[in-house]
């Protein structure tokens, strides 16, 4: 039931703080211990490399997860598009462990890979929102997102839930591997902080609605740019905008723009920069100057500690590993309001189905 909402997408965007708190309650004990199946944790601990396999938004959540697994658990992690991996499998490490990210648990491309992984005799985990879904039944282990039904075709709360789930697993694995980064990382504290940041951002929807109206209501194309983790967020941000508003959008590594793509910048081309990492903030800002001098109209989504006077969207402080949880929220809202402003059925974009059961 949509209740007072015009579309499920906005309802699901608003549900995200509660979904993250729910994951904390399910998987983190009072004393901070991670409560995930011991056998799953030991299977992951025996692996020399993690392979995350997924499609679409779930793949984009995997890109963010790679950074979290490598930083907290110090385990090399690869992320693969399911439809590529199935037929062009890379050379696997000696002891691979497979993680399938899938909201629906039914995506055919991912099922195809899992069937091959099972044939090869490797263990796997499916992280999904749907209990008893095919990918859940066919994997060795399941971790449920408990995000509640996601009705809008464009995935929002499953993305942030998947990142939170990856964080919980990475912390558990890092504790088994005794990494200093895991010892220092207070999962419940950091996830709560992220949930609170999301709440603040969804409470400031009006700012984003105005920006959608002024920058995106008539444009044909747009760019999201960022570096490092902000580039991973930019990829998901651009998928959200293009799929519901039909604005052709690319998520780009800021530094790569000048190597060709900058030729697409014209008068008033919207360029949205995500800036959460102090190491690269100045570099991204100088890439922005390059597009501004070619006429781009810029929106900045910037962490509190790095914000400057003209930045339109300021993100409350969260742990550096979890900035995608905050930075994606204004991007989800920009996609929603742009689609609504253009008069589209936000929940049912043309040509798309919620669950893609063909390869
Ligand atoms: C985008 C979107 C799709 C799905 C993709 C995978 O908003 O919803 O890109 O993320 O089809 O679906 P699941 O996660 O169900 O495997």
């Amino acid at each position: 039931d949509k209740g007072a909402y015009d579309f499920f997408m906005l309802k699901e965007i608003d549900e995200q703080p509660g979904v993250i708190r729910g994951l904390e309650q399910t998987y983190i004990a009072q004393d901070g211990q991670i409560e995930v199946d011991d056998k799953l944790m030991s299977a992951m601990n025996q692996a020399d490399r993690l392979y995350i396999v997924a499609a679409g938004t779930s793949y984009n959540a995997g890109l963010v997860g790679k950074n979290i697994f490598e930083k907290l658990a110090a385990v090399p992690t690869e992320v693969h598009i399911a439809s590529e991996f199935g037929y062009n499998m890379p050379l696997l490490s000696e002891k691979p462990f497979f993680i399938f990210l899938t909201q629906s648990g039914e995506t055919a491309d991912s099922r195809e890979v899992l069937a091959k992984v099972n044939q090869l005799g490797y263990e796997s985990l499916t992280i999904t929102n749907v209990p008893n879904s095919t990918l859940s039944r066919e994997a060795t282990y399941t971790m449920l997102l408990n995000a509640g039904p996601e009705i809008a075709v464009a995935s929002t709360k499953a993305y942030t839930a998947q990142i939170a789930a990856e964080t919980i697993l990475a912390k558990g694995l890092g504790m088994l591997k005794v990494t200093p980064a895991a010892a220092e990382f207070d999962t419940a504290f950091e996830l709560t902080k992220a949930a609170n940041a999301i709440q603040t951002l969804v409470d400031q929807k009006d700012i984003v609605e105005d920006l959608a109206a002024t920058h995106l209501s008539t444009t044909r194309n747009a760019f999201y740019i960022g570096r490092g983790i902000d580039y991973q967020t930019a990829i998901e941000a651009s998928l959200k905008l293009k799929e519901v508003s039909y604005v052709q959008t690319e998520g780009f590594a800021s530094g790569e723009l000048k190597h060709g793509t900058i030729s697409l910048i014209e008068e008033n081309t919207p360029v949205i920069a995500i800036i959460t990492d102090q190491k690269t903030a100045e570099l991204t800002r100088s890439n922005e100057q390059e597009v501004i001098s070619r006429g781009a109209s810029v929106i900045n989504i910037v962490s509190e500690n790095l914000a400057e006077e003209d930045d339109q969207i300021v993100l409350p402080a969260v742990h550096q590993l979890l900035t995608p949880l905050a930075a994606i929220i204004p991007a989800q809202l920009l996609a929603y309001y742009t689609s609504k402003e253009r008069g589209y059925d936000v929940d049912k974009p043309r040509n798309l189905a919620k669950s893609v059961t063909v390869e």
Side-chain angles (χ1 to χ4, degrees):
D1 179 21
K2 282 194 290 234
Y5 288 95
D6 291 335
F7 292 100
F8 281 105
M9 185 176 174
L10 192 61
K11 175 172 181 275
E12 290 163 4
I13 289 171
D14 278 359
E15 284 169 355
Q16 293 175 104
V19 171
I20 291 177
R21 292 192 185 103
L23 284 166
E24 287 178 42
Q25 272 155 20
T26 308
Y27 296 112
I28 308 174
Q30 285 298 330
D31 63 1
Q33 285 266 88
I34 300 303
E35 293 190 305
V36 178
D37 187 348
D38 287 344
K39 284 204 229 120
L40 162 60
M41 292 315 308
S42 98
M44 286 177 71
N45 194 23
Q46 279 159 32
D48 61 1
R49 186 172 288 252
L50 303 178
Y51 291 81
I52 299 176
V53 180
T57 285
S58 294
Y59 170 79
N60 296 341
L63 295 175
V64 173
K66 169 186 162 75
N67 186 49
I68 297 172
F69 279 113
E70 292 192 341
K71 296 276 161 48
L72 287 185
V75 56
T77 304
E78 294 182 16
V79 194
H80 291 273
I81 294 173
S83 59
E84 285 295 309
F85 192 93
Y87 297 92
N88 298 287
M89 214 180 262
L91 184 62
L92 297 177
S93 67
E94 212 165 301
K95 293 183 197 153
F97 184 85
F98 290 85
I99 300 177
F100 292 86
L101 291 178
T102 170
Q103 189 285 131
S104 65
E106 300 299 340
T107 299
D109 291 320
S110 301
R111 288 173 60 182
E112 175 67 29
V113 180
L114 178 52
K116 289 193 176 140
V117 164
N118 284 338
Q119 268 169 22
L120 293 169
Y122 294 124
E123 293 207 321
S124 57
L125 163 68
T126 289
I127 301 179
T128 183
N129 199 28
V130 182
N132 297 316
S133 54
T134 308
L135 276 136
S136 159
R137 282 185 276 108
E138 292 178 358
T140 325
Y141 306 98
T142 295
M143 182 174 184
L144 290 175
L145 298 171
N146 300 326
E150 194 180 62
I151 310 287
V153 163
S155 181
T156 53
K157 61 180 178 175
Y159 173 78
T160 45
Q162 283 167 341
I163 293 170
E166 290 171 312
T167 305
I168 290 166
L169 285 173
K171 161 78 179 187
L173 189 56
M175 292 305 281
L176 289 178
K177 293 190 182 298
V178 203
T179 67
E184 270 170 30
F185 187 83
D186 182 340
T187 323
F189 176 82
E190 300 300 351
L191 286 176
T192 298
K193 204 164 152 193
N196 293 342
I198 296 174
Q199 190 61 55
T200 303
L201 290 162
V202 297
D203 288 343
Q204 298 171 352
K205 297 184 174 66
D206 295 356
I207 301 177
V208 182
E209 186 172 9
D210 290 347
L211 288 167
T214 52
H215 288 70
L216 297 167
S217 62
T218 60
T219 188
R220 209 173 53 80
N221 62 358
F223 293 88
Y224 269 98
I225 63 170
R227 287 173 180 248
I229 196 64
D230 297 330
Y231 170 41
Q232 314 302 350
T233 309
I235 292 170
E236 168 59 10
S238 81
L239 177 57
K240 281 294 87 81
L241 183 61
K242 76 182 87 167
E243 72 178 321
V244 299
S245 76
Y246 318 143
V247 173
Q248 185 169 10
T249 315
E250 279 191 72
F252 237 81
S254 317
E256 190 66 5
L257 265 183
K258 59 182 172 296
H259 296 291
T261 308
I262 199 166
S263 66
L264 291 172
I265 303 293
E266 298 177 330
E267 200 58 34
N268 292 326
T269 304
V271 175
I272 307 163
I274 300 175
I275 301 176
T276 71
D277 187 349
Q278 179 158 24
K279 288 199 306 292
T280 53
E282 283 316 312
L283 288 169
T284 296
R285 286 194 192 273
S286 78
N287 299 137
E288 257 188 329
Q289 288 310 317
E290 293 157 11
V291 295
I292 289 171
S293 70
R294 281 138 181 113
S297 81
V298 163
I299 299 176
N300 282 338
I301 300 176
V302 185
S303 288
E304 202 171 75
N305 58 318
L306 301 171
E308 294 178 3
E309 190 161 334
D310 294 334
D311 294 336
Q312 295 93 330
I313 300 173
V314 176
L315 305 169
V318 297
H319 191 283
Q320 186 63 50
L321 287 177
L322 300 185
T323 58
L325 290 176
I328 198 59
I329 306 303
Q332 293 171 343
L333 290 166
L334 276 173
Y336 173 80
Y337 285 116
T338 303
S339 174
K340 193 165 174 238
E341 166 106 7
R342 289 176 181 234
Y344 300 133
D345 183 347
V346 182
D347 287 340
K348 294 196 183 69
R350 67 188 181 209
N351 310 339
L352 291 174
K354 182 67 187 162
S355 166
V356 184
T357 53
V358 291
E359 279 185 54

